[in-house]
């Protein structure tokens, strides 16, 4: 967990970062549980929300994003997520979380069914906005990590 | 250009959004020109910056991100970028830009040389932070758009 750019004392920043990580984990737990309402309600109710799923163009606005994530939950029964490299930073009322998401799917769905992308390892970058009801997703981008790709070679 | 959640009058929000789009386009123009210094300086000087390139895990921190983008510029001489669906929203001192990035490369480099990913169409999500010197990148995520992928089918 990194901190930067904030006025609050370290304790407040650490608390905010912990809240953001809890919001992130709660979102994915709701997805695993198939809780459509909780998944949708993890997002800001706003026209400027943005969601990018692996291989897809950006989706914008509450209606489109909620439809997208609802369909995503319905398409992935039995999915489970394991996270690595979780990093959270808070700047005022906006937070950024990045991590690597490892996906374990039931036999019913694999991203590799519809594309050549590997299905099990994703890079995730999210931003959250602080609201009176807690941290809500503002931006959420998921893309495949190509494990054999090393541009530095 | 969408707006949301801000106190400033519409004129100020529109100005801020235009500034953010200019920062985005300036970043890519510097990349096309091979201007390593300008590409690096488009980023916040902070440990909480984050950059995700197609197929790669998140990179964190000024040193790592500046090294990554410098190598990126050096690996892609002659590259050109064309943008579609540019959308900017500003919340206080943080802005989010999303777009689709069409990549035109010289013969010297193609992402398809090292992976099965198509090389020409990317989804981009960035966040910028307002500083006394203008808007700087805080988070920048680029991932492939798979044109034959339609999860809704």
């Amino acid at each position: 967990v990194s901190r930067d750019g904030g006025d609050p004392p370290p304790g407040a920043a650490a608390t905010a970062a912990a809240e953001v990580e809890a919001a992130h984990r709660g979102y994915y737990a709701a997805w695993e549980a198939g809780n459509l309402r909780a998944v949708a309600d993890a997002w800001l109710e706003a026209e400027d929300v943005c969601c990018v799923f692996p291989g897809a163009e950006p989706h914008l606005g509450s209606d489109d994003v909620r439809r997208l994530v609802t369909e995503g939950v319905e398409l992935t029964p039995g999915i489970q997520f394991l996270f690595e490299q979780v990093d959270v930073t808070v700047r005022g009322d906006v937070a950024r979380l990045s991590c690597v998401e490892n996906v374990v799917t039931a036999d019913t769905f694999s991203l590799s069914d519809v594309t050549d992308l590997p299905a099990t390892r994703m890079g995730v970058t999210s931003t959250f906005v602080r609201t009176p009801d807690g941290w809500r997703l503002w931006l959420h981008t998921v893309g495949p990590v190509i494990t054999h790709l090393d541009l530095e070679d």
Side-chain angles (χ1 to χ4, degrees), chain A:
Chain A
V1 174
S2 65
R3 292 184 306 105
D4 216 299
D7 292 322
T15 299
E19 290 170 355
V20 169
E21 183 169 343
H24 164 81
R25 292 185 181 277
Y27 178 71
Y28 277 92
W31 190 298
E32 288 177 337
N35 187 336
L36 299 176
R37 170 64 65 91
V39 168
D41 288 350
W43 287 84
L44 287 173
E45 180 85 46
E47 286 318 294
D48 67 342
V49 293
C50 178
C51 182
V52 185
F53 277 167
E57 297 183 0
H59 284 67
L60 296 169
S62 268
D63 288 352
D64 199 12
V65 168
R66 286 174 183 233
R67 189 180 311 120
L68 180 75
V69 298
T70 296
E71 290 174 354
V73 171
E74 290 173 339
L75 278 169
T76 56
I79 199 167
Q80 292 188 290
F81 303 98
L82 297 166
F83 302 105
E84 296 173 75
Q85 303 173 33
V86 177
D87 185 272
V88 181
T89 182
V90 179
R91 287 179 176 261
D93 290 333
V94 180
R96 183 270 301 153
L97 181 148
S98 65
C99 68
V100 172
E101 165 194 316
N102 294 284
V103 180
V104 183
T105 51
D107 288 340
T108 48
F109 175 83
S110 168
L111 194 61
S112 58
D113 292 341
V114 287
T115 170
D116 293 331
L117 299 179
T120 58
R121 195 165 169 82
M122 305 285 167
V124 176
T125 51
S126 298
T127 60
F128 293 81
V129 170
R130 193 197 311 258
T131 79
D133 299 321
W135 295 90
R136 293 288 181 271
L137 279 165
W138 179 27
L139 166 66
H140 180 55
T141 302
V142 185
V145 174
I146 313 299
T147 48
H148 66 273
L149 175 64
D150 186 353
L151 288 177
E152 291 171 42
D153 275 355

